[in-house]
Amino acid sequence: MKGDVTGVEEHTANKPKENLGSSLGSHKIEAHRGNELEVKRAILGYETDIATPSKLRQQQLPAWQPILTASTVIPTVIGIGVIFIPIGVALFLASESVKEYTLDYTSCAIDTQCSLVFNVTEDMKDDVYIYYYLENYFQNHRRYVKSRNDKQFLGNVFEVSDCEPFAYDQNKVPIAPCGAIANSKFNDTYELFYVRNGIRIPVPVTKEGVLWDVDKDRKFKNPPIPPGGNLCDAFKELPGVHYM
């Protein structure tokens, strides 16, 4: 054992050693079995990669910064104006071509039938749309807008999260549709007539085509409707659901 220890000490003492100085500090290179060149190459490659300057590191990439002068700004503004003034004129004329009649029937008592007479003095071509206007109705209020569940509108009638205070009825049964939006009812109805020679002739009104395709095909879906039934029958077949 003593001879073996002496041999190890002599082997260690006889190993050639060399110090490699660099900007990163002093590195000791121990040459053993021909690995000295590989160690030096690895260290030098690492140092060279860090020390090599580049345009990205030195923020010397090509750049262009315009110099704004009167001779460049004024023609640019005039050119943009020449392009957008005709567009604005076309939009203004299109807006002015819309024919609109507004009737205020606030004075009508609740739960009564009112009859209003108005004269259409201009021809209305294409489709005519009927809208109602409400005052003091804040439909963009945050709590009102959030009181809904999009998953339920896709047919999952038991999803009632975020629908408070219209999520469950007094018996803790889920409400469908739930939420403040679905349970806000404006039930005024309209019938249009035009009078010719003292005779009232009904004006046909349709509800088809007033919904966007993306809403009809992707955002809103009814639960499965039984054959020969309607939407009310579909909700009746779902136990534990209070449908409105």
Side-chain angles (χ1 to χ4, degrees), residues 14-179:
N14 293 330
K15 288 174 58 179
K17 299 180 180 179
E18 180 182 355
N19 291 333
L20 175 64
S22 67
S23 59
L24 297 179
S26 179
H27 301 275
K28 181 183 291 185
I29 304 300
E30 294 186 357
H32 185 62
R33 295 184 181 179
N35 294 328
E36 179 181 2
L37 180 60
E38 295 181 3
V39 176
K40 285 184 178 180
R41 184 182 301 169
I43 294 177
L44 289 174
Y46 175 74
E47 294 175 355
T48 303
D49 181 66
I50 294 179
T52 301
S54 65
K55 292 184 178 181
L56 177 62
R57 293 170 179 168
Q58 300 300 324
Q59 299 183 7
Q60 295 177 349
L61 293 176
W64 177 73
Q65 183 176 0
I67 299 176
L68 301 179
T69 61
S71 60
T72 58
V73 173
I74 294 177
T76 302
V77 173
I78 293 176
I80 295 175
V82 170
I83 295 174
F84 283 97
I85 286 177
I87 297 177
V89 172
L91 293 176
F92 176 77
L93 294 177
S95 176
E96 289 296 316
S97 64
V98 175
K99 300 176 178 62
E100 180 178 342
Y101 291 86
T102 303
L103 300 177
D104 187 356
Y105 63 96
T106 307
S107 58
C108 292
I110 300 177
D111 296 331
T112 59
Q113 183 177 359
C114 296
S115 178
L116 301 177
V117 179
F118 62 97
N119 295 323
V120 178
T121 59
E122 299 177 285
D123 292 335
M124 292 186 176
K125 300 180 180 180
D126 299 328
D127 296 332
V128 178
Y129 295 90
I130 302 174
Y131 300 90
Y132 58 85
Y133 171 77
L134 301 177
E135 291 184 349
N136 297 325
Y137 173 61
F138 306 102
Q139 65 177 6
N140 292 328
H141 192 281
R142 182 179 62 86
R143 292 184 60 186
Y144 181 80
V145 172
K146 292 183 63 177
S147 183
R148 57 180 291 169
N149 189 291
D150 293 332
K151 292 182 179 180
Q152 190 189 63
F153 292 156
L154 289 174
N156 302 321
V157 295
F158 295 99
E159 293 284 348
V160 293
S161 59
D162 299 329
C163 285
E164 296 294 343
F166 299 97
Y168 300 92
D169 62 5
Q170 63 274 14
N171 298 322
K172 300 300 181 180
V173 177
I175 298 176
C178 69

Side-chain angles (χ1 to χ4, degrees), residues 188-206:
D188 287 4
T189 57
Y190 308 94
E191 290 181 338
L192 297 181
F193 301 89
Y194 70 92
V195 180
R196 177 179 294 177
N197 299 326
I199 301 176
R200 298 175 59 185
I201 303 175
V203 176
V205 178
T206 179

